[in-house]
C-alpha cells in the first residue's frame, strides 16, 4: 500500500488511527482522574458492594425483599417495578390512543374537536408537571384511611391505595379496616396509580397522533372499495384500514413505547420505587456513583434493545408481501 | 493518440460481473454512441471514465492519466471530464447562475466576476441565458438539461459524457436538448453518449458501440451498424427499437 | 357563469347524522357544557386575583385563587434572582426570544442573521450571570424560573447542533470505526432516560475531572442536556442527509468537488430544509425536558413553582399554580408546534 495521502485506503487507516489514539488518550485521562478522585474519597471501584445488605426497605415490591436483602435484590425489585408500570402503561396508552385517534377522525365535528384538543393539550405540557398534578390530586381526593371507599366487595380505595384481596403467605386474605388503614390482601399504591395514570394518558396523546397518521396514510381508494363492497365503518377500519396502517404505525409506535419506558424514570420524583429510585438510594448510601449509574444505564439499554427487537419482529410479520 | 483507452477492463458488483474485458480506444474529437439493452453495462462503462464507478481489473487511461483508486488520479481525471446525467442533478437550492459558478469558483479558484461572465457565455451557447436568475424547480425538463450541459461546459472539459440525457424528458423537449448536443458535436468536442436516440446517432456519431451483458459486442460506423448489423443480439435489439 | 356552491354537510348535519352521531353529540356536548358551567365561575367569576391570602381561603371551593400567581410571580418567572438586578433577566429573556424569533423567519435565513442571533444569545447569558463591566456577579443557584427554562432550552438546542451535524456525518461515513463510534454514542444516549444523563452530569462528571476542578452545576447540567439533545438531533439530521438524492453527490463529484465542499455546499443545505420541522419538534421536547432539572436541584419554571408551593400558606392552592405554569408551557410549545406545521406545509407544497 502506497503511503500517500491520496491513497484512499491509507487515508482511511490514518483517520481511523487518529481517532483511536484520541479516544484512548481521553479514556486514559478520564480513568486516571476517576481513580485519583475515588481514592481521595476512600471508595474503590468495583461491583462487590452489590452483594452487601441494602439497608433500606422498599414499600412496593413484587418479590420477597427486606432491608437485609442484597443490593442486587433491591435492583431486581426496582427493575420489576419498572416493568410493571411499563407493560401496563403500554397497554393502557395504546388502547386509549386508538380510541382518541378514531375519535379525531370522526365526522362528528364535536368529537373530532374534543380528541384533537386532548392531544394538543397533553402534548404541550411537560410530563413531570402532569405526573405531579395527578399525584397531588390523588392524594387530596382519595378518601382518608379510616373511611375508605368500597368499589366492589373486598376492593377498597383510600389514601393507602387500591386494596384488593390476594394471597399472602399462601392464605387468601381480604383487606379489612385496621387502626391505621387497610390491612391484609394486596394494595396498589397511590404513587403507582398516579404514575400509571399520568404516563398512560400522556403517551396516549402521542400514540393517538401516530395511529391517526397511519390511518391517513392508507390510500383513499381502499376505503372507497370497502364501502362499495358494503362494509360498515367499523368493519372497514378493523379489516382493511388498520392492517395496512400497521406498517406505517409500527416504527413510531416503537419509539413511543421506548419513551414510556424511559419516562417511567420520572417516578423518582413522586416516590414510586422503580429502578432509578433504587439506584439513587444505592448511590447515596454507598458512594459508588459510577457503578450504580452504569448499571442503571445498562438495564435501560437492554430494555430498549429488547423492545426494538420485539417490535421489529412484529413489523416483519405485518409486512405486505411484495413482488420480489 | 487516444484520449480514452480501456485495456481489458472488468468490473464486478460483489460477485456479479457487469463489465467483461472491455477494450476500447477513443480518439480526440471522436463522437461515440453507446447503446444496448438495459443491464448491458453501458451506463457503468461511461461512469468508469470519470471515476463514479471503480473497476477491479485491467487498465483505464483518461486524458493521459492512469485512473486508479488514488485520489490524485481521480481528481486529475474529473478536472478534464464532464458528465451530463439522465436526471439532470441540478442543485435545487441554487439559482441557475449559481449552479454554473459554484464549481469554477470553489474548485478552480476562479474569481466570481469571471466565473459569472463565463457562465453567461455558456448559457447563451445553450440558448437559455434569460433564465439565469431562476431556480431549477421553475424550469421545464428540457431547460434544466440544457442548464446541466452549460454547467459542465463551464469547467472546460476535454471529454463530455452523456448518460441517457433525454430519457427523462417529455417527447416535445427532446429536440431542444439534442440540438444543443449536435451543435457541441459539430464544434469538435470529444463525446461519449449513451442514448436510445438513433436519429442523433445517425446524424452525429463517428462510431456506434453496441453492448450486451457487459461486453462490447459490435462496433461500427452508424451507416454500417444501422443498415447491416452483424451480431444476432444487435439485430434483435435494432428490430425492437426500430419497429415503430 | 359560476358553478353552483358545493353542497357539503352543514355543521348541524354533521352533528346529528345517524343515531350514534346524535347520541355522541348530545353526550359530549352535555359533558362540555357541564364542565364549562363548573369551571368558568370558578376560574373567572368568583376568582380572587390579588395576593390576598384571607380572601383566597374564604373563596376556597367557590373561586380560584389566582393570588398565588400574583404573590409568587417573581419566583416563578425569575427564580431567586436579586430584586435590584431583575432588569437583567428581563432584558436577557426578551433578547433571547427575539433572537429565536429572528431565526424563525424564513425570509431572514441568511448567515449574518444567524451570527447576530448567536451573539445576542451569548450576550444574554453573560448578562444574567454578570461579573463584568460593573455588573455584579450572580451565583448560578439564584437563576431560576422561566428565565432559566429559556436559557437551558435555547443554549441546549443551539450548542447541540454542531455536535449533531458531526455525529450525523459520522454515522453516514464510509470509515467503519468512525461509524461505529458515532452510532454507539447516539444509540446509548437515546436508549437511556434523560434522568440518568442528568444524574451522570451531577454525580459522575466531577469524578472524571482533575481533582480541584469542580464546575458549576448549571454548566454540568447544560453539558448533559446538550449531549442528550445532540443524539436525537443527529438522527433527524441523518434522515435529512439520506433524503438528498445520490445524484446530487455524483453531480458535485463530476464537477470535481471534494468531500467537504460537496457536504457544505450541496448536501447539508438541502438536508436542512427537510430537517427543520422535526428539529423544531426536538426543540419542543427539550423545552419540556428542562422541567427535569428539578431532580438535580436547579429550579427552572416547574421547579420554581414547587419552591413557591413549599410555602405552607399557599400550598393548598397548588391547582391554580399548576394551571398557570401549564398554560405558560402550553403557550410556548403549541406556538412552536404551529410554526413547525406551517414549515412542513410550505416545504411540501414547494416540492411540487
Amino acid at each position: 500500500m502506497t503511503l500517500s495521502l491520496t491513497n484512499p485506503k491509507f487515508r482511511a487507516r490514518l483517520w481511523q488511527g487518529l481517532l483511536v489514539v484520541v479516544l484512548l488518550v481521553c479514556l486514559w485521562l478520564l480513568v486516571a482522574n476517576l481513580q485519583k478522585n475515588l481514592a481521595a474519597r476512600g471508595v474503590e471501584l468495583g461491583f462487590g458492594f452489590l452483594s452487601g445488605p441494602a439497608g433500606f426497605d422498599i414499600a412496593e415490591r413484587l418479590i420477597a425483599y427486606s432491608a437485609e436483602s442484597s443490593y442486587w435484590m433491591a435492583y431486581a425489585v426496582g427493575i420489576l417495578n419498572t416493568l410493571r408500570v411499563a407493560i401496563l402503561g403500554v397497554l393502557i396508552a395504546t388502547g386509549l390512543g386508538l380510541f382518541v385517534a378514531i375519535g379525531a377522525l370522526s365526522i362528528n365535528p364535536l368529537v373530532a374537536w374534543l380528541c384533537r384538543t386532548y392531544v394538543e393539550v397533553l402534548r404541550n405540557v411537560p410530563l413531570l408537571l402532569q405526573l405531579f398534578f395527578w399525584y397531588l390530586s390523588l392524594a387530596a381526593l382519595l378518601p382518608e384511611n379510616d373511611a375508605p371507599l368500597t368499589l366492589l366487595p373486598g376492593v377498597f380505595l383510600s389514601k393507602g391505595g387500591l386494596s384488593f384481596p390476594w394471597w399472602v403467605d399462601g392464605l387468601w386474605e381480604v383487606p379489612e379496616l385496621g387502626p391505621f388503614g387497610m390491612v391484609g390482601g394486596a394494595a396498589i399504591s397511590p404513587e403507582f396509580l398516579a404514575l400509571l395514570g399520568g404516563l398512560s394518558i400522556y403517551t396516549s396523546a402521542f400514540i393517538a397522533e401516530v395511529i391517526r397518521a397511519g390511518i391517513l396514510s392508507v390510500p383513499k381508494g381502499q376505503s372507497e372499495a370497502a364501502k362499495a363492497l358494503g362494509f360498515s365503518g367499523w368493519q372497514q377500519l378493523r379489516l382493511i384500514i388498520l392492517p395496512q396502517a400497521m406498517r406505517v404505525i409500527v416504527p413510531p409506535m416503537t419509539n413511543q413505547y421506548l419513551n414510556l419506558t424511559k419516562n417511567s424514570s420520572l417516578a423518582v420524583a413522586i416516590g414510586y420505587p422503580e429502578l432509578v429510585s433504587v439506584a439513587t438510594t444505592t448511590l447515596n448510601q454507598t458512594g459508588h456513583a459510577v457503578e450504580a449509574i452504569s448499571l442503571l444505564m445498562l438495564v435501560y439499554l437492554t430494555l430498549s434493545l429488547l423492545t426494538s427487537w420485539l417490535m421489529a419482529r412484529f413489523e416483519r410479520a405485518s409486512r405486505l408481501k411484495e413482488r420480489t | 493518440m487516444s484520449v480514452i483507452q480501456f485495456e481489458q477492463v472488468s468490473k464486478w458488483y460483489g460477485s456479479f460481473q457487469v463489465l467483461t474485458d472491455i477494450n476500447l480506444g477513443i480518439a480526440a474529437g471522436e463522437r461515440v454512441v453507446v447503446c444496448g439493452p438495459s443491464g448491458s453495462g453501458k451506463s457503468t462503462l461511461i461512469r468508469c471514465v470519470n471515476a463514479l464507478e471503480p473497476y477491479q481489473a485491467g487498465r483505464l487511461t483518461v486524458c493521459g492519466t492512469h485512473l486508479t483508486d488514488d485520489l490524485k488520479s481521480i481528481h486529475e481525471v474529473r478536472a478534464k471530464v464532464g458528465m451530463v446525467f439522465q436526471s439532470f442533478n441540478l442543485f435545487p437550492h441554487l439559482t441557475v447562475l449559481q449552479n454554473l459558478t459554484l464549481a469554477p469558483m470553489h474548485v478552480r479558484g476562479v474569481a466570481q466576476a469571471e466565473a459569472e461572465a463565463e457562465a453567461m457565455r455558456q448559457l447563451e451557447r445553450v440558448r437559455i441565458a434569460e433564465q439565469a436568475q431562476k431556480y431549477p424547480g421553475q424550469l421545464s425538463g428540457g431547460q434544466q438539461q440544457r442548464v446541466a450541459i452549460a454547467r459542465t461546459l463551464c469547467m472546460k472539459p476535454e471529454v463530455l459524457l452523456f448518460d441517457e440525457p433525454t430519457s427523462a424528458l417529455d417527447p416535445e423537449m427532446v429536440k431542444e436538448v439534442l440540438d444543443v448536443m449536435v451543435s457541441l458535436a459539430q464544434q469538435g468536442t470529444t463525446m461519449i453518449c449513451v442514448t436510445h436516440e438513433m436519429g442523433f446517432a445517425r446524424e452525429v456519431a463517428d462510431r456506434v458501440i453496441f453492448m450486451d451483458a457487459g461486453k462490447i459486442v459490435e462496433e461500427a460506423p452508424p451507416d454500417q451498424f444501422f443498415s447491416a448489423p452483424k451480431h444476432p443480439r444487435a439485430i434483435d435489439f435494432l428490430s425492437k427499437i426500430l419497429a415503430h | 357563469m359560476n358553478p353552483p356552491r358545493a353542497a357539503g354537510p352543514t355543521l348541524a348535519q354533521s352533528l346529528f347524522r345517524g343515531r350514534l352521531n346524535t347520541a355522541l353529540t348530545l353526550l359530549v356536548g352535555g359533558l362540555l357544557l357541564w364542565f364549562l358551567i363548573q369551571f368558568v365561575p370558578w376560574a373567572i367569576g368568583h376568582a380572587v386575583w390579588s395576593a390576598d391570602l384571607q380572601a383566597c381561603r374564604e373563596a376556597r371551593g367557590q373561586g380560584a385563587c389566582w393570588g398565588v400567581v400574583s404573590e409568587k410571580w417573581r419566583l416563578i418567572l425569575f427564580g431567586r434572582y436579586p430584586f435590584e438586578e431583575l432588569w437583567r433577566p428581563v432584558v436577557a429573556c426578551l433578547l433571547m426570544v427575539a433572537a429565536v424569533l429572528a431565526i424563525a423567519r424564513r425570509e431572514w435565513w441568511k448567515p449574518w442573521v444567524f451570527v447576530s442571533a448567536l451573539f445576542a444569545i451569548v450576550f444574554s447569558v453573560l448578562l444574567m450571570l454578570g461579573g463584568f463591566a460593573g455588573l455584579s456577579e450572580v451565583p448560578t443557584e439564584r437563576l431560576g424560573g422561566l428565565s432559566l427554562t429559556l436559557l437551558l432550552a435555547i443554549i441546549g438546542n443551539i450548542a447541540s447542533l454542531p455536535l449533531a451535524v458531526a455525529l450525523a456525518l459520522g454515522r453516514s461515513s464510509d470509515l467503519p470505526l468512525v461509524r461505529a463510534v458515532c452510532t454507539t454514542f447516539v444509540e446509548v444516549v437515546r436508549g437511556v432516560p434523560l434522568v440518568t444523563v442528568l444524574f451522570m452530569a451531577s454525580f459522575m462528571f466531577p469524578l472524571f475531572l482533575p481533582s480541584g476542578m469542580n464546575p458549576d452545576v448549571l454548566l454540568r447540567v447544560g453539558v448533559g442536556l446538550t449531549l442528550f439533545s445532540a443524539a436525537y438531533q443527529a438522527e433527524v439530521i441523518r434522515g435529512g442527509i439520506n433524503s438528498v438524492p445520490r445524484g446530487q453527490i455524483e453531480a458535485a463529484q463530476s464537477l470535481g468537488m471534494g468531500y467537504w465542499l460537496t457536504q457544505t455546499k450541496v448536501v447539508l443545505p438541502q438536508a436542512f430544509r427537510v430537517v427543520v420541522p422535526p428539529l423544531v419538534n426536538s426543540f419542543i421536547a427539550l423545552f419540556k425536558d428542562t422541567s427535569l432539572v428539578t431532580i438535580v436541584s436547579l429550579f427552572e419554571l416547574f421547579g420554581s413553582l414547587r419552591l413557591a408551593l413549599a410555602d405552607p400558606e399557599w400550598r393548598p392552592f397548588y391547582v391554580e399554580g399548576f394551571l398557570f405554569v401549564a398554560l405558560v408551557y402550553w403557550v410556548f410549545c403549541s406556538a412552536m408546534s404551529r410554526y413547525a406545521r406551517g414549515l412542513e406545509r410550505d416545504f411540501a407544497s414547494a416540492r411540487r
Side-chain angles (χ1 to χ4, degrees):
Chain A
M1 178 180 68
T2 35
L3 291 180
S4 136
L5 273 178
T6 55
N7 184 343
K9 290 200 190 65
F10 177 71
R11 273 165 80 120
R13 302 228 175 131
L14 188 68
W15 281 120
Q16 291 178 100
L18 271 171
L19 183 64
V20 167
V21 167
V22 167
L23 282 178
L24 283 177
V25 166
C26 285
L27 208 64
W28 183 79
L29 277 173
L30 290 174
V31 169
N33 282 330
L34 180 66
Q35 288 184 319
K36 213 161 47 173
N37 286 325
L38 283 181
R41 285 167 212 223
V43 175
E44 257 184 39
L45 208 58
F47 286 95
F49 74 95
L50 287 167
S51 6
F56 62 92
D57 199 9
I58 301 179
E60 268 184 88
R61 51 188 181 262
L62 285 176
I63 56 178
Y65 173 84
S66 73
E68 288 96 49
S69 312
S70 68
Y71 280 110
W72 282 119
M73 285 303 285
Y75 263 86
V77 173
I79 293 174
L80 283 172
N81 279 343
T82 298
L83 284 175
R84 191 155 69 117
V85 81
I87 294 175
L88 282 174
V90 155
L91 290 171
I92 297 176
T94 310
L96 199 54
L98 183 62
F99 191 65
V100 172
I102 295 174
L105 291 168
S106 161
I107 44 164
N108 186 323
L110 204 56
V111 171
W113 175 86
L114 189 67
C115 291
R116 276 203 306 273
T117 310
Y118 173 93
V119 170
E120 273 307 299
V121 168
L122 290 177
R123 285 193 341 157
N124 288 317
V125 175
L127 176 59
L128 194 61
L129 203 137
Q130 296 184 35
L131 277 181
F132 263 100
F133 186 73
W134 292 125
Y135 180 58
L136 291 175
S137 304
L138 225 58
L141 293 173
L142 282 176
E144 292 297 329
N145 276 338
D146 46 13
L149 180 69
T150 311
L151 290 175
L152 292 170
V155 179
F156 302 95
L157 201 58
S158 70
K159 282 213 201 308
L162 184 70
S163 314
F164 54 92
W166 200 249
W167 286 278
V168 175
D169 296 328
L171 292 172
W172 178 255
E173 281 188 22
V174 177
E176 286 172 348
L177 194 53
F180 300 111
M182 306 301 301
V183 289
I188 299 179
S189 66
E191 287 85 6
F192 180 75
L193 285 173
L195 183 66
L196 186 64
L199 260 184
S200 312
I201 291 177
Y202 179 77
T203 313
S204 74
F206 290 86
I207 289 183
E209 274 303 281
V210 167
I211 294 180
R212 192 174 73 95
I215 291 179
L216 287 176
S217 77
V218 177
K220 203 166 182 302
Q222 293 291 306
S223 55
E224 288 176 352
K227 250 190 286 242
L229 285 167
F231 283 118
S232 78
W234 288 111
Q235 283 173 326
Q236 276 178 49
L237 200 60
R238 194 166 55 88
L239 297 170
I240 306 208
I241 309 273
L242 273 180
Q244 292 188 62
M246 273 303 146
R247 292 178 310 147
V248 176
I249 287 176
V250 171
M253 188 79 107
T254 314
N255 232 6
Q256 290 309 320
Y257 289 172
L258 290 174
N259 282 346
L260 191 143
T261 312
K262 287 186 282 178
N263 282 336
S264 69
S265 59
L266 292 183
V268 70
I270 62 171
Y272 175 69
E274 47 66 70
L275 182 58
V276 173
S277 156
V278 168
T280 324
T281 315
T282 310
L283 190 157
N284 282 326
Q285 276 187 196
T286 65
H288 283 110
V290 177
E291 299 90 324
I293 295 180
S294 313
L295 209 55
L296 188 63
M297 290 173 76
L298 201 68
V299 173
Y300 273 110
L301 277 176
T302 314
L303 280 176
S304 294
L305 285 172
L306 211 70
T307 313
S308 301
W309 177 78
L310 272 170
M311 295 303 279
R313 293 202 58 172
F314 182 61
E315 191 201 356
R316 261 199 292 274
S318 65
R319 213 175 269 188
L320 293 178
K321 304 279 178 290
E322 308 222 312
R323 191 177 68 182
T324 38
Chain B
M1 185 54 211
S2 18
V3 148
I4 298 176
Q5 187 70 43
F6 282 82
E7 290 167 53
Q8 306 279 100
V9 170
S10 295
K11 179 187 165 58
W12 287 263
Y13 276 134
S15 53
F16 177 64
Q17 188 163 12
V18 293
L19 290 177
T20 312
D21 286 340
I22 303 289
N23 284 296
L24 178 64
I26 297 178
E30 207 183 337
R31 284 85 42 113
V32 172
V33 165
V34 182
C35 63
S38 77
S40 56
K42 47 191 201 298
S43 282
T44 315
L45 184 77
I46 65 165
R47 284 159 66 93
C48 283
V49 175
N50 75 342
L52 283 180
E53 302 278 358
Y55 62 94
Q56 283 79 37
R59 186 189 169 92
L60 174 57
T61 315
V62 178
C63 299
T65 309
H66 171 206
L67 186 58
T68 59
D69 276 347
D70 194 85
L71 295 176
K72 192 150 162 287
S73 74
I74 293 178
H75 189 71
E76 276 175 23
V77 164
R78 285 184 181 160
K80 299 180 189 152
V81 174
M83 184 153 191
V84 177
F85 298 86
Q86 182 177 353
S87 48
F88 334 135
N89 289 338
L90 291 180
F91 304 135
H93 58 296
L94 302 174
T95 62
V96 162
L97 191 66
Q98 287 167 333
N99 260 278
L100 267 63
T101 55
L102 186 69
M105 279 167 61
H106 293 273
V107 179
R108 289 252 170 99
V110 173
Q112 184 169 353
E114 198 188 319
E116 287 185 357
E118 177 65 25
M120 289 309 292
R121 269 199 294 277
Q122 298 300 347
L123 287 176
E124 307 229 346
R125 201 168 156 190
V126 300
R127 295 188 284 270
I128 202 167
E130 70 281 3
Q131 309 288 355
Q133 296 306 328
K134 293 257 177 76
Y135 284 89
Q138 297 170 296
L139 303 177
S140 74
Q143 291 171 319
Q144 288 187 51
Q145 193 62 297
R146 285 189 279 149
V147 170
I149 295 175
R151 181 175 66 173
T152 332
L153 291 173
C154 281
M155 291 297 279
K156 308 221 197 300
E158 291 174 27
V159 177
L160 276 179
L161 304 173
F162 291 86
D163 189 358
E164 303 206 36
T166 56
S167 300
L169 294 175
D170 289 334
E172 65 268 20
M173 293 188 240
V174 170
K175 181 178 185 312
E176 68 192 63
V177 174
L178 287 180
D179 285 343
V180 168
M181 288 165 68
V182 166
S183 80
L184 282 176
Q186 284 164 348
Q187 284 157 31
T189 322
T190 314
M191 293 164 70
I192 311 181
C193 194
V194 172
T195 184
H196 299 302
E197 294 292 330
M198 296 302 133
F200 171 78
R202 261 195 256 253
E203 187 179 342
V204 143
D206 296 315
R207 233 197 309 174
V208 174
I209 295 180
F210 179 77
M211 286 185 69
D212 185 58
K215 294 200 182 70
I216 295 182
V217 150
E218 184 157 343
E219 224 182 297
D223 302 323
Q224 196 186 324
F225 180 75
F226 288 114
S227 56
K230 298 204 191 72
H231 198 276
R233 296 289 294 128
I235 298 171
D236 187 45
F237 177 72
L238 281 176
S239 70
K240 285 203 183 98
I241 64 164
L242 294 177
H244 48 88
Chain C
M1 178 162 169
N2 292 329
R5 271 256 297 268
T10 61
L11 188 64
Q13 285 176 320
S14 309
L15 284 173
F16 296 108
R17 182 162 56 176
R19 286 178 310 185
L20 179 62
N21 239 338
T22 312
L24 275 175
T25 304
L26 290 174
L27 182 66
V28 173
L31 278 172
L32 278 176
L33 218 58
W34 173 84
F35 176 73
L36 280 173
I37 291 175
Q38 304 279 321
F39 185 72
V40 173
W42 176 85
I44 303 178
H46 304 304
V48 175
W49 298 90
S50 61
D52 185 347
L53 192 57
Q54 187 60 25
C56 272
R57 286 203 181 119
E58 283 167 10
R60 268 216 95 176
Q62 308 290 89
C65 174
W66 300 116
V68 78
V69 175
S70 329
E71 171 74 16
K72 302 282 183 184
W73 66 270
R74 229 176 58 228
L75 190 58
I76 294 175
L77 290 181
F78 301 112
R80 289 169 301 167
Y81 210 85
F83 183 58
E84 324 77 64
E85 310 275 343
L86 216 53
W87 63 271
R88 282 161 57 182
V90 172
V91 168
C93 286
L94 288 174
L95 210 56
M96 281 195 287
V97 171
V100 170
L101 286 176
I103 298 180
R105 279 201 69 162
R106 290 187 54 201
E107 298 83 56
W108 291 358
W109 277 359
K110 295 192 197 330
W112 68 268
V113 174
F114 287 130
V115 173
S116 338
L118 199 63
F119 269 115
I121 291 170
V122 172
F123 176 71
S124 310
V125 177
L126 292 174
L127 184 63
M128 283 216 277
L129 291 173
F132 67 97
L135 292 168
S136 61
E137 189 171 336
V138 176
T140 54
E141 305 87 64
R142 303 288 292 256
L143 292 177
L146 182 61
S147 60
L148 184 60
T149 296
L150 283 175
L151 190 145
L152 285 174
I154 293 177
I155 298 286
N157 271 300
I158 294 188
S160 60
L161 273 178
L163 182 60
V165 171
L167 284 170
L169 287 176
R171 259 192 101 154
S172 320
S173 161
D174 293 323
L175 304 177
L177 192 68
V178 173
R179 215 171 39 233
V181 168
C182 293
T183 307
T184 312
F185 178 84
V186 170
E187 291 303 319
V188 167
V189 174
R190 274 165 36 110
V192 297
L194 178 56
V195 169
T196 54
V197 174
L198 289 176
F199 277 151
M200 263 192 70
S202 195
F203 297 115
M204 271 173 77
F205 277 8
L207 290 176
F208 286 106
L209 294 171
S211 47
M213 249 181 90
N214 201 13
D216 205 57
V217 73
L218 182 63
L219 183 64
R220 281 182 274 144
V221 165
V223 169
L225 281 177
T226 302
L227 290 175
F228 188 75
S229 157
Y232 285 83
Q233 289 175 338
E235 283 303 276
V236 171
I237 294 176
R238 191 168 73 99
I241 289 178
N242 286 343
S243 78
V244 176
R246 193 161 165 75
Q248 292 289 303
I249 301 177
E250 289 183 349
Q253 283 174 335
S254 306
L255 288 166
M257 291 164 71
Y259 176 78
W260 288 109
L261 193 58
T262 310
Q263 293 297 325
T264 50
K265 293 280 176 186
V266 175
V267 176
L268 289 176
Q270 293 187 57
F272 250 84
R273 261 143 238 268
V274 172
V275 307
V276 171
L279 272 185
V280 174
N281 283 332
S282 137
F283 193 118
I284 297 175
L286 190 71
F287 190 84
K288 290 188 294 173
D289 282 342
T290 54
S291 56
L292 271 78
V293 304
T294 41
I295 296 179
V296 287
S297 310
L298 277 178
F299 297 101
E300 42 61 72
L301 182 57
F302 182 55
S304 294
L305 175 69
R306 291 180 57 206
L307 210 58
L309 290 176
D311 182 345
E313 301 199 322
W314 292 98
R315 184 126 231 248
F317 307 105
Y318 72 92
V319 175
E320 291 87 335
F322 270 71
L323 283 177
F324 174 70
V325 167
L327 186 67
V328 174
Y329 275 113
W330 186 85
V331 164
F332 276 98
C333 292
S334 65
M336 290 191 272
S337 202
R338 222 164 291 248
Y339 172 70
R341 277 202 292 265
L343 275 184
E344 255 178 306
R345 262 199 310 270
D346 287 345
F347 287 152
S349 65
R351 253 190 310 226
R352 270 172 287 107

